[in-house]
DNA sequence: AAATTGATCAACCGCATGTTA
DNA sequence: GTAACATGCGGTTGATCAATT
């Protein structure tokens, strides 16, 4: 694969954004959206690379960004999910609507990791493999595959649906936040496309990006359109499912997510 | 008051992966 | 099947500010 040419060569600006630049970016995206980040700065008249624009928008200018200190609940949520997912900041961010992966990453490195490992320096991801500490996602695909399907709730109650497949993403975002903060609530299907999940084995191949994508709002700060009756989302926003056809069933997803989220720790998962 | 140290966080970088032609 | 391009992610850096000496 050939990398895209580096944008700095073109004499583009780097460093902190000025209020003027912010205004230009915001007003452009409000008017035209961001079909193509690479083309956006040129069209908007910004001397920035698309990557920089995207980052600025996502981490700072998006209308739904939540400002201010993290609450106790949010911090607990981060700790809990970090325990399970490792440094999958975008996936963790999906559990905290209004918070960005960058922000969460910063909070983790500045506050939370000290709280979790007071005697240790940060768990260096490059050393993670050596440490013997594995996250659910790392171990899951091998261990969790052994979970007997007989435990599947669908077999006991085929009509049990935890959430309507047509539930809007905004509802999903808020309920995801609730679930994430309590870590024990009912798990919804996070807007998963109806009928696209068919086998629980397939689910176990799932990566944390699923959490992020399925629960996330889009880059414009607007909830991604998960209501299938409304048709596919604009191609510019990307459809996490269209390019990677999955064969999962909503109940499978519900079940395994619930198992994972309700487990006190990973050991508990292994014992299931 | 000045210098030093530590904490914070916005922004950048490189890479992986997905998409398109 | 492959090259070119677009996007997203996680790690890291550096500027800034506050606290301490």
């Amino acid at each position: 694969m050939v990398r895209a040419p580096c944008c700095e060569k073109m004499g583009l600006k780097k460093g902190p954004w000025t209020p003027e630049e912010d205004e230009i970016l915001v007003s452009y995206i409000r008017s035209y959206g961001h079909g193509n980040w690479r083309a956006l700065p040129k069209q908007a008249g910004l001397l920035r690379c698309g990557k920089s624009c995207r980052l600025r928008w996502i981490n700072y200018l998006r209308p739904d960004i939540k400002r201010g200190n993290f609450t106790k609940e949010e911090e607990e949520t981060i700790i809990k999910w970090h325990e399970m997912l490792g440094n999958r900041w975008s996936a963790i961010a999906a559990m905290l609507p209004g918070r960005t992966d960058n922000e969460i990453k910063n909070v983790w490195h500045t506050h939370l990791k000290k709280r979790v490992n007071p005697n240790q320096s940060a768990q260096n991801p490059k050393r993670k493999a050596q440490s013997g500490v594995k996250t659910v996602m790392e171990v899951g695909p091998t261990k969790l595959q052994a979970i007997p399907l007989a435990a599947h709730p669908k077999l006991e109650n085929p009509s049990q649906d935890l959430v309507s497949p047509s539930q809007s993403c905004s509802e999903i975002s808020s309920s995801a936040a609730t679930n994430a903060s309590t870590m024990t609530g009912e798990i919804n299907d996070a807007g998963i496309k109806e009928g696209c999940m068919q086998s629980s084995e397939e689910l176990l191949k799932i990566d944390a990006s699923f959490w992020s994508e399925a629960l996330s709002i889009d880059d414009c700060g607007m909830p991604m359109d998960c209501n299938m009756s409304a048709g596919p989302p604009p191609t510019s926003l990307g459809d996490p499912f269209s390019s990677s056809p999955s064969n999962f069933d909503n109940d499978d997803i519900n079940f395994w997510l619930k198992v994972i989220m309700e487990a006190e720790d990973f050991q508990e998962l292994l014992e299931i």
Side-chain angles (χ1 to χ4, degrees), chain A residues 67-105:
Chain A
R67 305 257 169 230
N69 293 336
F70 278 63
T71 64
K72 201 90 186 147
E73 287 74 27
E74 286 175 316
E75 291 183 350
E76 292 306 318
T77 300
I78 293 168
I79 291 169
K80 192 85 180 177
W81 280 103
H82 185 271
E83 203 174 294
M84 295 197 290
L85 301 174
N87 295 358
R88 306 208 180 198
W89 307 117
S90 62
I92 296 171
M95 305 300 165
L96 295 167
R99 301 296 190 181
T100 68
D101 53 353
N102 206 32
E103 204 176 7
I104 289 169
K105 188 165 54 183

Short mmCIF file of all heavy atoms in Angstrom, two decimals, chain A residues 67-105:
data_model
loop_
_atom_site.label_atom_id
_atom_site.label_comp_id
_atom_site.label_asym_id
_atom_site.label_seq_id
_atom_site.Cartn_x
_atom_site.Cartn_y
_atom_site.Cartn_z
N ARG A 67 -18.29 19.30 27.66
CA ARG A 67 -17.14 19.99 28.25
C ARG A 67 -17.09 19.77 29.75
O ARG A 67 -18.02 19.30 30.36
CB ARG A 67 -17.24 21.50 27.98
CG ARG A 67 -17.38 21.84 26.53
CD ARG A 67 -16.05 22.33 25.98
NE ARG A 67 -16.11 22.41 24.54
CZ ARG A 67 -15.19 21.89 23.75
NH1 ARG A 67 -14.18 21.24 24.26
NH2 ARG A 67 -15.28 22.01 22.45
N GLY A 68 -15.98 20.13 30.32
CA GLY A 68 -15.88 20.07 31.76
C GLY A 68 -15.26 18.77 32.26
O GLY A 68 -14.94 17.87 31.48
N ASN A 69 -15.10 18.73 33.55
CA ASN A 69 -14.46 17.59 34.17
C ASN A 69 -15.29 16.32 34.03
O ASN A 69 -16.51 16.37 33.92
CB ASN A 69 -14.21 17.87 35.66
CG ASN A 69 -13.20 18.96 35.85
OD1 ASN A 69 -12.36 19.21 34.98
ND2 ASN A 69 -13.29 19.64 36.98
N PHE A 70 -14.59 15.23 34.07
CA PHE A 70 -15.27 13.94 34.04
C PHE A 70 -15.93 13.68 35.40
O PHE A 70 -15.36 13.99 36.44
CB PHE A 70 -14.27 12.83 33.74
CG PHE A 70 -13.96 12.68 32.28
CD1 PHE A 70 -13.36 13.71 31.56
CD2 PHE A 70 -14.31 11.52 31.60
CE1 PHE A 70 -13.09 13.58 30.22
CE2 PHE A 70 -14.03 11.37 30.25
CZ PHE A 70 -13.43 12.40 29.56
N THR A 71 -17.12 13.14 35.33
CA THR A 71 -17.79 12.80 36.58
C THR A 71 -17.21 11.51 37.14
O THR A 71 -16.51 10.78 36.44
CB THR A 71 -19.29 12.59 36.35
OG1 THR A 71 -19.47 11.46 35.49
CG2 THR A 71 -19.94 13.81 35.72
N LYS A 72 -17.54 11.25 38.36
CA LYS A 72 -17.10 10.02 39.01
C LYS A 72 -17.59 8.81 38.20
O LYS A 72 -16.84 7.85 37.99
CB LYS A 72 -17.72 9.98 40.42
CG LYS A 72 -16.99 9.06 41.35
CD LYS A 72 -15.90 9.84 42.08
CE LYS A 72 -15.07 8.90 42.93
NZ LYS A 72 -13.67 9.32 43.02
N GLU A 73 -18.83 8.92 37.74
CA GLU A 73 -19.42 7.80 36.99
C GLU A 73 -18.65 7.58 35.69
O GLU A 73 -18.38 6.45 35.30
CB GLU A 73 -20.89 8.07 36.69
CG GLU A 73 -21.82 7.97 37.87
CD GLU A 73 -21.68 9.17 38.83
OE1 GLU A 73 -21.28 10.26 38.36
OE2 GLU A 73 -21.95 9.01 40.02
N GLU A 74 -18.33 8.69 35.05
CA GLU A 74 -17.59 8.57 33.78
C GLU A 74 -16.22 7.95 34.01
O GLU A 74 -15.77 7.10 33.23
CB GLU A 74 -17.46 9.95 33.12
CG GLU A 74 -18.74 10.45 32.50
CD GLU A 74 -18.61 11.88 31.95
OE1 GLU A 74 -18.02 12.73 32.65
OE2 GLU A 74 -19.10 12.13 30.85
N GLU A 75 -15.59 8.36 35.08
CA GLU A 75 -14.27 7.81 35.37
C GLU A 75 -14.36 6.32 35.67
O GLU A 75 -13.53 5.54 35.20
CB GLU A 75 -13.65 8.56 36.54
CG GLU A 75 -13.27 9.98 36.20
CD GLU A 75 -12.57 10.71 37.34
OE1 GLU A 75 -12.55 10.19 38.46
OE2 GLU A 75 -12.08 11.81 37.09
N GLU A 76 -15.37 5.95 36.41
CA GLU A 76 -15.54 4.53 36.72
C GLU A 76 -15.81 3.74 35.44
O GLU A 76 -15.32 2.62 35.27
CB GLU A 76 -16.70 4.33 37.72
CG GLU A 76 -16.40 4.87 39.10
CD GLU A 76 -15.11 4.31 39.69
OE1 GLU A 76 -14.84 3.10 39.55
OE2 GLU A 76 -14.33 5.09 40.28
N THR A 77 -16.59 4.35 34.58
CA THR A 77 -16.89 3.70 33.31
C THR A 77 -15.62 3.47 32.51
O THR A 77 -15.40 2.38 31.96
CB THR A 77 -17.86 4.57 32.49
OG1 THR A 77 -19.06 4.73 33.23
CG2 THR A 77 -18.19 3.91 31.16
N ILE A 78 -14.79 4.47 32.46
CA ILE A 78 -13.54 4.34 31.72
C ILE A 78 -12.68 3.23 32.31
O ILE A 78 -12.15 2.39 31.59
CB ILE A 78 -12.76 5.68 31.72
CG1 ILE A 78 -13.53 6.73 30.93
CG2 ILE A 78 -11.37 5.50 31.13
CD1 ILE A 78 -13.01 8.15 31.11
N ILE A 79 -12.58 3.24 33.62
CA ILE A 79 -11.74 2.24 34.27
C ILE A 79 -12.25 0.83 33.97
O ILE A 79 -11.50 -0.07 33.61
CB ILE A 79 -11.68 2.48 35.80
CG1 ILE A 79 -10.89 3.76 36.08
CG2 ILE A 79 -11.07 1.31 36.52
CD1 ILE A 79 -10.99 4.25 37.51
N LYS A 80 -13.55 0.69 34.10
CA LYS A 80 -14.15 -0.62 33.89
C LYS A 80 -13.94 -1.10 32.45
O LYS A 80 -13.55 -2.23 32.21
CB LYS A 80 -15.65 -0.52 34.20
CG LYS A 80 -16.34 -1.88 34.31
CD LYS A 80 -16.19 -2.45 35.69
CE LYS A 80 -16.88 -3.82 35.79
NZ LYS A 80 -16.69 -4.43 37.10
N TRP A 81 -14.21 -0.20 31.53
CA TRP A 81 -14.07 -0.60 30.13
C TRP A 81 -12.61 -0.79 29.75
O TRP A 81 -12.28 -1.64 28.94
CB TRP A 81 -14.75 0.41 29.21
CG TRP A 81 -16.22 0.19 29.15
CD1 TRP A 81 -17.19 0.92 29.78
CD2 TRP A 81 -16.92 -0.85 28.47
NE1 TRP A 81 -18.43 0.40 29.53
CE2 TRP A 81 -18.29 -0.69 28.73
CE3 TRP A 81 -16.51 -1.92 27.67
CZ2 TRP A 81 -19.27 -1.54 28.21
CZ3 TRP A 81 -17.48 -2.76 27.15
CH2 TRP A 81 -18.84 -2.57 27.43
N HIS A 82 -11.75 -0.01 30.33
CA HIS A 82 -10.34 -0.17 30.02
C HIS A 82 -9.86 -1.52 30.50
O HIS A 82 -9.03 -2.18 29.87
CB HIS A 82 -9.52 0.95 30.66
CG HIS A 82 -8.07 0.91 30.27
ND1 HIS A 82 -7.13 0.21 30.97
CD2 HIS A 82 -7.42 1.46 29.21
CE1 HIS A 82 -5.95 0.34 30.38
NE2 HIS A 82 -6.10 1.09 29.30
N GLU A 83 -10.40 -1.93 31.61
CA GLU A 83 -10.07 -3.24 32.15
C GLU A 83 -10.42 -4.33 31.14
O GLU A 83 -9.72 -5.32 30.99
CB GLU A 83 -10.90 -3.44 33.43
CG GLU A 83 -10.34 -4.45 34.41
CD GLU A 83 -11.19 -4.41 35.68
OE1 GLU A 83 -11.17 -3.38 36.39
OE2 GLU A 83 -11.90 -5.39 35.91
N MET A 84 -11.52 -4.13 30.47
CA MET A 84 -12.00 -5.15 29.54
C MET A 84 -11.42 -5.00 28.14
O MET A 84 -11.12 -5.98 27.48
CB MET A 84 -13.53 -5.12 29.46
CG MET A 84 -14.20 -5.50 30.76
SD MET A 84 -15.93 -5.90 30.52
CE MET A 84 -16.62 -4.33 30.13
N LEU A 85 -11.29 -3.77 27.70
CA LEU A 85 -10.92 -3.54 26.30
C LEU A 85 -9.46 -3.17 26.10
O LEU A 85 -8.97 -3.22 24.97
CB LEU A 85 -11.80 -2.43 25.70
CG LEU A 85 -13.30 -2.67 25.70
CD1 LEU A 85 -14.02 -1.43 25.22
CD2 LEU A 85 -13.67 -3.86 24.84
N GLY A 86 -8.80 -2.78 27.15
CA GLY A 86 -7.46 -2.27 26.97
C GLY A 86 -7.49 -0.86 26.39
O GLY A 86 -8.47 -0.14 26.58
N ASN A 87 -6.46 -0.51 25.68
CA ASN A 87 -6.34 0.87 25.18
C ASN A 87 -7.19 1.11 23.92
O ASN A 87 -6.70 1.70 22.97
CB ASN A 87 -4.88 1.20 24.87
CG ASN A 87 -4.03 1.19 26.09
OD1 ASN A 87 -4.49 0.97 27.20
ND2 ASN A 87 -2.75 1.41 25.91
N ARG A 88 -8.38 0.67 23.93
CA ARG A 88 -9.24 0.87 22.76
C ARG A 88 -10.09 2.10 23.03
O ARG A 88 -11.28 2.01 23.35
CB ARG A 88 -10.07 -0.37 22.50
CG ARG A 88 -9.17 -1.58 22.39
CD ARG A 88 -9.75 -2.63 21.53
NE ARG A 88 -8.81 -3.75 21.48
CZ ARG A 88 -8.84 -4.70 20.57
NH1 ARG A 88 -9.73 -4.64 19.63
NH2 ARG A 88 -7.99 -5.68 20.60
N TRP A 89 -9.44 3.21 22.89
CA TRP A 89 -10.03 4.47 23.32
C TRP A 89 -11.30 4.81 22.57
O TRP A 89 -12.24 5.35 23.14
CB TRP A 89 -9.01 5.60 23.21
CG TRP A 89 -7.74 5.28 23.91
CD1 TRP A 89 -6.50 5.13 23.35
CD2 TRP A 89 -7.55 5.02 25.31
NE1 TRP A 89 -5.57 4.81 24.30
CE2 TRP A 89 -6.18 4.72 25.51
CE3 TRP A 89 -8.41 4.98 26.41
CZ2 TRP A 89 -5.66 4.42 26.76
CZ3 TRP A 89 -7.89 4.68 27.66
CH2 TRP A 89 -6.53 4.41 27.82
N SER A 90 -11.32 4.53 21.31
CA SER A 90 -12.52 4.88 20.55
C SER A 90 -13.70 4.03 20.99
O SER A 90 -14.84 4.50 21.02
CB SER A 90 -12.27 4.72 19.06
OG SER A 90 -11.95 3.39 18.76
N ALA A 91 -13.42 2.79 21.33
CA ALA A 91 -14.50 1.93 21.81
C ALA A 91 -15.00 2.41 23.16
O ALA A 91 -16.21 2.43 23.42
CB ALA A 91 -14.01 0.49 21.90
N ILE A 92 -14.08 2.81 24.00
CA ILE A 92 -14.46 3.33 25.31
C ILE A 92 -15.23 4.64 25.15
O ILE A 92 -16.23 4.88 25.82
CB ILE A 92 -13.21 3.53 26.21
CG1 ILE A 92 -12.55 2.17 26.47
CG2 ILE A 92 -13.59 4.19 27.52
CD1 ILE A 92 -11.19 2.27 27.15
N ALA A 93 -14.77 5.45 24.21
CA ALA A 93 -15.44 6.73 23.98
C ALA A 93 -16.88 6.52 23.54
O ALA A 93 -17.76 7.34 23.83
CB ALA A 93 -14.68 7.54 22.93
N ALA A 94 -17.13 5.44 22.85
CA ALA A 94 -18.48 5.16 22.39
C ALA A 94 -19.43 4.92 23.56
O ALA A 94 -20.65 5.05 23.43
CB ALA A 94 -18.48 3.95 21.46
N MET A 95 -18.87 4.58 24.70
CA MET A 95 -19.69 4.35 25.90
C MET A 95 -19.96 5.66 26.64
O MET A 95 -20.73 5.67 27.59
CB MET A 95 -18.97 3.39 26.85
CG MET A 95 -18.58 2.08 26.22
SD MET A 95 -20.04 1.24 25.59
CE MET A 95 -19.27 0.01 24.55
N LEU A 96 -19.28 6.69 26.24
CA LEU A 96 -19.45 7.97 26.92
C LEU A 96 -19.79 9.05 25.89
O LEU A 96 -18.91 9.78 25.44
CB LEU A 96 -18.15 8.34 27.65
CG LEU A 96 -17.76 7.43 28.79
CD1 LEU A 96 -16.34 7.69 29.23
CD2 LEU A 96 -18.71 7.60 29.96
N PRO A 97 -21.04 9.13 25.53
CA PRO A 97 -21.45 10.12 24.53
C PRO A 97 -21.00 11.52 24.91
O PRO A 97 -21.12 11.93 26.06
CB PRO A 97 -22.97 10.02 24.54
CG PRO A 97 -23.27 8.67 25.06
CD PRO A 97 -22.16 8.34 26.03
N GLY A 98 -20.45 12.23 23.95
CA GLY A 98 -19.98 13.58 24.21
C GLY A 98 -18.52 13.65 24.58
O GLY A 98 -17.94 14.72 24.62
N ARG A 99 -17.93 12.50 24.85
CA ARG A 99 -16.51 12.48 25.17
C ARG A 99 -15.76 11.88 23.99
O ARG A 99 -16.23 10.96 23.35
CB ARG A 99 -16.25 11.63 26.42
CG ARG A 99 -16.97 12.11 27.66
CD ARG A 99 -16.51 13.48 28.09
NE ARG A 99 -17.02 13.85 29.41
CZ ARG A 99 -16.77 15.01 29.99
NH1 ARG A 99 -16.04 15.93 29.38
NH2 ARG A 99 -17.26 15.28 31.17
N THR A 100 -14.57 12.39 23.75
CA THR A 100 -13.80 11.90 22.62
C THR A 100 -12.74 10.91 23.07
O THR A 100 -12.35 10.89 24.25
CB THR A 100 -13.10 13.06 21.90
OG1 THR A 100 -12.08 13.58 22.75
CG2 THR A 100 -14.09 14.15 21.55
N ASP A 101 -12.28 10.13 22.13
CA ASP A 101 -11.24 9.16 22.47
C ASP A 101 -9.99 9.86 22.97
O ASP A 101 -9.33 9.40 23.90
CB ASP A 101 -10.93 8.24 21.28
CG ASP A 101 -10.59 9.00 20.02
OD1 ASP A 101 -10.72 10.24 20.01
OD2 ASP A 101 -10.19 8.36 19.04
N ASN A 102 -9.69 11.00 22.35
CA ASN A 102 -8.50 11.74 22.76
C ASN A 102 -8.63 12.21 24.21
O ASN A 102 -7.68 12.11 25.00
CB ASN A 102 -8.33 12.95 21.84
CG ASN A 102 -6.89 13.41 21.74
OD1 ASN A 102 -5.97 12.61 21.82
ND2 ASN A 102 -6.71 14.70 21.57
N GLU A 103 -9.78 12.70 24.53
CA GLU A 103 -10.03 13.20 25.88
C GLU A 103 -9.92 12.06 26.89
O GLU A 103 -9.30 12.21 27.96
CB GLU A 103 -11.45 13.79 25.90
CG GLU A 103 -11.71 14.81 26.96
CD GLU A 103 -13.10 15.40 26.83
OE1 GLU A 103 -13.90 14.89 26.01
OE2 GLU A 103 -13.41 16.34 27.56
N ILE A 104 -10.51 10.95 26.54
CA ILE A 104 -10.49 9.80 27.44
C ILE A 104 -9.07 9.29 27.63
O ILE A 104 -8.64 8.96 28.73
CB ILE A 104 -11.42 8.70 26.90
CG1 ILE A 104 -12.87 9.16 27.06
CG2 ILE A 104 -11.19 7.39 27.62
CD1 ILE A 104 -13.87 8.30 26.35
N LYS A 105 -8.35 9.28 26.53
CA LYS A 105 -6.95 8.86 26.59
C LYS A 105 -6.16 9.77 27.52
O LYS A 105 -5.37 9.30 28.35
CB LYS A 105 -6.39 8.93 25.16
CG LYS A 105 -5.02 8.36 24.97
CD LYS A 105 -4.74 8.15 23.48
CE LYS A 105 -4.94 9.38 22.65
NZ LYS A 105 -4.72 9.13 21.21
#
